[in-house]
PDB file of all heavy atoms in Angstrom:
ATOM      1  N   SER E 396     -11.845  60.477   4.181  1.00 50.00           N
ATOM      2  CA  SER E 396     -11.999  60.394   5.567  1.00 50.00           C
ATOM      3  C   SER E 396     -11.515  59.184   6.133  1.00 50.00           C
ATOM      4  O   SER E 396     -10.912  59.158   7.304  1.00 50.00           O
ATOM      5  CB  SER E 396     -13.602  60.639   5.766  1.00 50.00           C
ATOM      6  OG  SER E 396     -14.236  59.432   5.356  1.00 50.00           O
ATOM      7  N   GLN E 404      -0.660  58.658  14.586  1.00 68.00           N
ATOM      8  CA  GLN E 404      -0.192  59.931  15.239  1.00 68.00           C
ATOM      9  C   GLN E 404       1.383  59.996  15.224  1.00 68.00           C
ATOM     10  O   GLN E 404       2.032  58.885  15.451  1.00 68.00           O
ATOM     11  CB  GLN E 404      -0.668  59.957  16.628  1.00 68.00           C
ATOM     12  CG  GLN E 404      -2.224  60.098  16.733  1.00 68.00           C
ATOM     13  CD  GLN E 404      -2.680  61.409  16.184  1.00 68.00           C
ATOM     14  OE1 GLN E 404      -1.950  62.540  16.424  1.00 68.00           O
ATOM     15  NE2 GLN E 404      -3.786  61.415  15.489  1.00 68.00           N
ATOM     16  N   ILE E 410       9.629  59.903  19.027  1.00 56.00           N
ATOM     17  CA  ILE E 410      11.110  60.087  18.742  1.00 56.00           C
ATOM     18  C   ILE E 410      11.843  59.596  20.106  1.00 56.00           C
ATOM     19  O   ILE E 410      11.587  60.326  21.106  1.00 56.00           O
ATOM     20  CB  ILE E 410      11.436  61.534  18.215  1.00 56.00           C
ATOM     21  CG1 ILE E 410      10.794  61.808  16.947  1.00 56.00           C
ATOM     22  CG2 ILE E 410      12.962  61.640  18.223  1.00 56.00           C
ATOM     23  CD1 ILE E 410      10.968  63.226  16.566  1.00 56.00           C
ATOM     24  N   THR E 421      17.635  45.239  19.472  1.00 80.00           N
ATOM     25  CA  THR E 421      16.360  45.549  18.657  1.00 80.00           C
ATOM     26  C   THR E 421      16.576  45.266  17.169  1.00 80.00           C
ATOM     27  O   THR E 421      15.693  44.754  16.539  1.00 80.00           O
ATOM     28  CB  THR E 421      15.999  47.010  18.771  1.00 80.00           C
ATOM     29  OG1 THR E 421      15.841  47.308  20.224  1.00 80.00           O
ATOM     30  CG2 THR E 421      14.711  47.398  18.052  1.00 80.00           C
ATOM     31  N   VAL E 447      34.421  37.098  18.646  1.00 94.00           N
ATOM     32  CA  VAL E 447      35.293  36.985  19.851  1.00 94.00           C
ATOM     33  C   VAL E 447      36.712  36.429  19.505  1.00 94.00           C
ATOM     34  O   VAL E 447      37.740  36.960  19.780  1.00 94.00           O
ATOM     35  CB  VAL E 447      34.618  36.141  20.952  1.00 94.00           C
ATOM     36  CG1 VAL E 447      35.650  35.889  22.104  1.00 94.00           C
ATOM     37  CG2 VAL E 447      33.405  36.655  21.447  1.00 94.00           C
ATOM     38  N   ASN E 450      39.220  38.798  17.631  1.00 90.00           N
ATOM     39  CA  ASN E 450      39.940  39.631  18.436  1.00 90.00           C
ATOM     40  C   ASN E 450      41.278  38.957  18.929  1.00 90.00           C
ATOM     41  O   ASN E 450      42.367  39.460  19.008  1.00 90.00           O
ATOM     42  CB  ASN E 450      39.170  40.147  19.636  1.00 90.00           C
ATOM     43  CG  ASN E 450      38.240  41.167  19.204  1.00 90.00           C
ATOM     44  OD1 ASN E 450      38.200  41.847  18.273  1.00 90.00           O
ATOM     45  ND2 ASN E 450      37.136  41.176  20.109  1.00 90.00           N
ATOM     46  N   THR E 551      38.264  44.531  40.166  1.00 95.00           N
ATOM     47  CA  THR E 551      39.669  44.477  39.840  1.00 95.00           C
ATOM     48  C   THR E 551      40.363  43.828  41.015  1.00 95.00           C
ATOM     49  O   THR E 551      40.166  44.305  42.205  1.00 95.00           O
ATOM     50  CB  THR E 551      40.297  45.754  39.517  1.00 95.00           C
ATOM     51  OG1 THR E 551      39.546  46.397  38.324  1.00 95.00           O
ATOM     52  CG2 THR E 551      41.796  45.602  39.129  1.00 95.00           C
ATOM     53  N   PRO E 566      24.690  32.854  24.306  1.00 95.00           N
ATOM     54  CA  PRO E 566      23.706  33.457  23.507  1.00 95.00           C
ATOM     55  C   PRO E 566      22.309  33.535  24.168  1.00 95.00           C
ATOM     56  O   PRO E 566      21.949  32.521  24.735  1.00 95.00           O
ATOM     57  CB  PRO E 566      23.731  32.701  22.193  1.00 95.00           C
ATOM     58  CG  PRO E 566      25.025  32.126  22.113  1.00 95.00           C
ATOM     59  CD  PRO E 566      25.409  31.877  23.600  1.00 95.00           C
ATOM     60  N   GLN E 708      28.500  43.603   7.740  1.00 59.00           N
ATOM     61  CA  GLN E 708      29.180  43.491   8.996  1.00 59.00           C
ATOM     62  C   GLN E 708      29.588  42.043   9.205  1.00 59.00           C
ATOM     63  O   GLN E 708      30.560  41.886   9.961  1.00 59.00           O
ATOM     64  CB  GLN E 708      28.129  43.861  10.113  1.00 59.00           C
ATOM     65  CG  GLN E 708      28.665  43.597  11.447  1.00 59.00           C
ATOM     66  CD  GLN E 708      29.967  44.243  11.879  1.00 59.00           C
ATOM     67  OE1 GLN E 708      30.324  45.341  11.314  1.00 59.00           O
ATOM     68  NE2 GLN E 708      30.672  43.578  12.884  1.00 59.00           N
ATOM     69  N   LYS E 728      45.741  44.431  -9.563  1.00 94.00           N
ATOM     70  CA  LYS E 728      47.048  44.229 -10.095  1.00 94.00           C
ATOM     71  C   LYS E 728      48.095  43.652  -9.167  1.00 94.00           C
ATOM     72  O   LYS E 728      49.010  42.843  -9.677  1.00 94.00           O
ATOM     73  CB  LYS E 728      47.612  45.690 -10.376  1.00 94.00           C
ATOM     74  CG  LYS E 728      48.966  45.797 -11.138  1.00 94.00           C
ATOM     75  CD  LYS E 728      49.322  47.201 -11.443  1.00 94.00           C
ATOM     76  CE  LYS E 728      50.475  47.209 -12.325  1.00 94.00           C
ATOM     77  NZ  LYS E 728      51.661  46.426 -11.743  1.00 94.00           N
ATOM     78  N   VAL E 748      54.052  18.784 -14.021  1.00 98.00           N
ATOM     79  CA  VAL E 748      52.861  19.451 -13.587  1.00 98.00           C
ATOM     80  C   VAL E 748      52.159  20.187 -14.708  1.00 98.00           C
ATOM     81  O   VAL E 748      50.924  20.063 -14.856  1.00 98.00           O
ATOM     82  CB  VAL E 748      53.123  20.372 -12.351  1.00 98.00           C
ATOM     83  CG1 VAL E 748      51.922  21.077 -11.994  1.00 98.00           C
ATOM     84  CG2 VAL E 748      53.619  19.609 -11.191  1.00 98.00           C
ATOM     85  N   GLU E 762      35.175  17.956 -24.113  1.00 90.00           N
ATOM     86  CA  GLU E 762      33.896  17.759 -23.726  1.00 90.00           C
ATOM     87  C   GLU E 762      32.958  18.889 -23.987  1.00 90.00           C
ATOM     88  O   GLU E 762      31.761  18.808 -24.398  1.00 90.00           O
ATOM     89  CB  GLU E 762      33.829  17.310 -22.227  1.00 90.00           C
ATOM     90  CG  GLU E 762      32.450  16.978 -21.655  1.00 90.00           C
ATOM     91  CD  GLU E 762      32.460  16.401 -20.259  1.00 90.00           C
ATOM     92  OE1 GLU E 762      33.524  16.281 -19.681  1.00 90.00           O
ATOM     93  OE2 GLU E 762      31.467  16.038 -19.824  1.00 90.00           O
ATOM     94  N   LYS E 798      15.976  41.556  -6.037  1.00 48.00           N
ATOM     95  CA  LYS E 798      17.360  41.283  -5.722  1.00 48.00           C
ATOM     96  C   LYS E 798      17.711  41.542  -4.329  1.00 48.00           C
ATOM     97  O   LYS E 798      16.917  42.007  -3.501  1.00 48.00           O
ATOM     98  CB  LYS E 798      18.297  42.395  -6.545  1.00 48.00           C
ATOM     99  CG  LYS E 798      18.070  42.528  -7.957  1.00 48.00           C
ATOM    100  CD  LYS E 798      18.632  41.218  -8.776  1.00 48.00           C
ATOM    101  CE  LYS E 798      18.413  41.354 -10.233  1.00 48.00           C
ATOM    102  NZ  LYS E 798      18.858  40.161 -10.905  1.00 48.00           N
ATOM    103  N   SER E 814       0.786  14.661  -7.474  1.00 76.00           N
ATOM    104  CA  SER E 814       0.210  14.953  -6.229  1.00 76.00           C
ATOM    105  C   SER E 814       1.017  15.543  -5.163  1.00 76.00           C
ATOM    106  O   SER E 814       0.628  16.386  -4.446  1.00 76.00           O
ATOM    107  CB  SER E 814      -0.336  13.492  -5.694  1.00 76.00           C
ATOM    108  OG  SER E 814       0.740  12.624  -5.590  1.00 76.00           O
ATOM    109  N   SER E 816       3.859  17.332  -5.795  1.00 83.00           N
ATOM    110  CA  SER E 816       4.176  18.708  -6.070  1.00 83.00           C
ATOM    111  C   SER E 816       2.950  19.625  -5.862  1.00 83.00           C
ATOM    112  O   SER E 816       3.129  20.948  -5.527  1.00 83.00           O
ATOM    113  CB  SER E 816       4.660  18.908  -7.572  1.00 83.00           C
ATOM    114  OG  SER E 816       3.633  18.394  -8.423  1.00 83.00           O
ATOM    115  N   ILE E 819       2.694  20.581  -2.110  1.00 90.00           N
ATOM    116  CA  ILE E 819       3.798  21.526  -1.737  1.00 90.00           C
ATOM    117  C   ILE E 819       3.404  22.832  -2.334  1.00 90.00           C
ATOM    118  O   ILE E 819       3.500  24.040  -1.630  1.00 90.00           O
ATOM    119  CB  ILE E 819       5.086  21.136  -2.056  1.00 90.00           C
ATOM    120  CG1 ILE E 819       5.566  19.869  -1.402  1.00 90.00           C
ATOM    121  CG2 ILE E 819       6.170  22.147  -1.894  1.00 90.00           C
ATOM    122  CD1 ILE E 819       6.886  19.279  -1.776  1.00 90.00           C
ATOM    123  N   LEU E 843      28.462   8.836 -16.238  1.00 84.00           N
ATOM    124  CA  LEU E 843      28.172   9.473 -17.548  1.00 84.00           C
ATOM    125  C   LEU E 843      28.739  10.895 -17.509  1.00 84.00           C
ATOM    126  O   LEU E 843      29.272  11.453 -16.532  1.00 84.00           O
ATOM    127  CB  LEU E 843      26.553   9.664 -17.709  1.00 84.00           C
ATOM    128  CG  LEU E 843      25.788   8.364 -17.624  1.00 84.00           C
ATOM    129  CD1 LEU E 843      24.313   8.693 -17.771  1.00 84.00           C
ATOM    130  CD2 LEU E 843      26.297   7.453 -18.691  1.00 84.00           C
ATOM    131  N   ALA E 878      12.713  16.757  -2.029  1.00 93.00           N
ATOM    132  CA  ALA E 878      11.465  16.476  -1.230  1.00 93.00           C
ATOM    133  C   ALA E 878      10.734  15.206  -1.891  1.00 93.00           C
ATOM    134  O   ALA E 878      10.187  15.398  -2.882  1.00 93.00           O
ATOM    135  CB  ALA E 878      10.508  17.685  -1.215  1.00 93.00           C
ATOM    136  N   MET E 886      13.054   7.095  -1.553  1.00 85.00           N
ATOM    137  CA  MET E 886      14.534   7.187  -1.225  1.00 85.00           C
ATOM    138  C   MET E 886      15.344   6.845  -2.374  1.00 85.00           C
ATOM    139  O   MET E 886      16.446   7.383  -2.572  1.00 85.00           O
ATOM    140  CB  MET E 886      14.708   5.927  -0.175  1.00 85.00           C
ATOM    141  CG  MET E 886      14.106   6.125   1.235  1.00 85.00           C
ATOM    142  SD  MET E 886      14.795   7.484   2.043  1.00 85.00           S
ATOM    143  CE  MET E 886      13.718   7.445   3.489  1.00 85.00           C
ATOM    144  N   PHE E 942      -8.961  18.436  17.853  1.00 70.00           N
ATOM    145  CA  PHE E 942      -8.007  17.321  17.886  1.00 70.00           C
ATOM    146  C   PHE E 942      -6.587  17.836  18.472  1.00 70.00           C
ATOM    147  O   PHE E 942      -6.192  18.989  18.198  1.00 70.00           O
ATOM    148  CB  PHE E 942      -7.676  16.632  16.532  1.00 70.00           C
ATOM    149  CG  PHE E 942      -8.715  15.715  16.151  1.00 70.00           C
ATOM    150  CD1 PHE E 942      -9.584  16.142  15.093  1.00 70.00           C
ATOM    151  CD2 PHE E 942      -8.913  14.503  16.656  1.00 70.00           C
ATOM    152  CE1 PHE E 942     -10.671  15.343  14.612  1.00 70.00           C
ATOM    153  CE2 PHE E 942      -9.820  13.613  16.070  1.00 70.00           C
ATOM    154  CZ  PHE E 942     -10.818  14.119  15.094  1.00 70.00           C
ATOM    155  N   SER E 949       9.720   9.551  13.427  1.00 86.00           N
ATOM    156  CA  SER E 949      10.277   8.180  13.601  1.00 86.00           C
ATOM    157  C   SER E 949       9.420   7.393  14.457  1.00 86.00           C
ATOM    158  O   SER E 949       8.494   7.920  15.101  1.00 86.00           O
ATOM    159  CB  SER E 949      11.710   8.478  14.306  1.00 86.00           C
ATOM    160  OG  SER E 949      11.533   8.971  15.612  1.00 86.00           O
ATOM    161  N   PRO E 964      -5.486   6.658  21.066  1.00 85.00           N
ATOM    162  CA  PRO E 964      -5.090   7.571  20.017  1.00 85.00           C
ATOM    163  C   PRO E 964      -5.344   7.034  18.644  1.00 85.00           C
ATOM    164  O   PRO E 964      -5.380   5.859  18.469  1.00 85.00           O
ATOM    165  CB  PRO E 964      -3.523   7.699  20.225  1.00 85.00           C
ATOM    166  CG  PRO E 964      -3.158   6.416  20.827  1.00 85.00           C
ATOM    167  CD  PRO E 964      -4.283   5.930  21.676  1.00 85.00           C
ATOM    168  N   LEU E1005      29.967   6.224  -4.708  1.00 72.00           N
ATOM    169  CA  LEU E1005      29.113   6.284  -5.889  1.00 72.00           C
ATOM    170  C   LEU E1005      29.357   4.930  -6.752  1.00 72.00           C
ATOM    171  O   LEU E1005      28.408   4.448  -7.240  1.00 72.00           O
ATOM    172  CB  LEU E1005      29.389   7.407  -6.681  1.00 72.00           C
ATOM    173  CG  LEU E1005      28.936   8.774  -6.173  1.00 72.00           C
ATOM    174  CD1 LEU E1005      29.188   9.982  -7.160  1.00 72.00           C
ATOM    175  CD2 LEU E1005      27.441   8.783  -5.794  1.00 72.00           C
ATOM    176  N   GLN E1028      11.052  -7.799  14.480  1.00 43.00           N
ATOM    177  CA  GLN E1028       9.804  -8.448  14.641  1.00 43.00           C
ATOM    178  C   GLN E1028       8.831  -7.633  15.571  1.00 43.00           C
ATOM    179  O   GLN E1028       7.683  -7.540  15.338  1.00 43.00           O
ATOM    180  CB  GLN E1028       9.955  -9.787  15.133  1.00 43.00           C
ATOM    181  CG  GLN E1028       8.677 -10.624  15.068  1.00 43.00           C
ATOM    182  CD  GLN E1028       8.078 -10.880  13.712  1.00 43.00           C
ATOM    183  OE1 GLN E1028       8.769 -11.090  12.720  1.00 43.00           O
ATOM    184  NE2 GLN E1028       6.790 -10.788  13.617  1.00 43.00           N
TER     185      GLN E1028
END
Side-chain angles (χ1 to χ4, degrees):
S396 65
Q404 293 295 320
I410 299 175
T421 304
V447 176
N450 289 337
T551 300
Q708 171 59 25
K728 188 177 187 305
V748 172
E762 184 175 2
K798 304 290 183 182
S814 59
S816 62
I819 297 180
L843 303 179
M886 295 296 177
F942 283 101
S949 66
L1005 289 179
Q1028 187 62 41

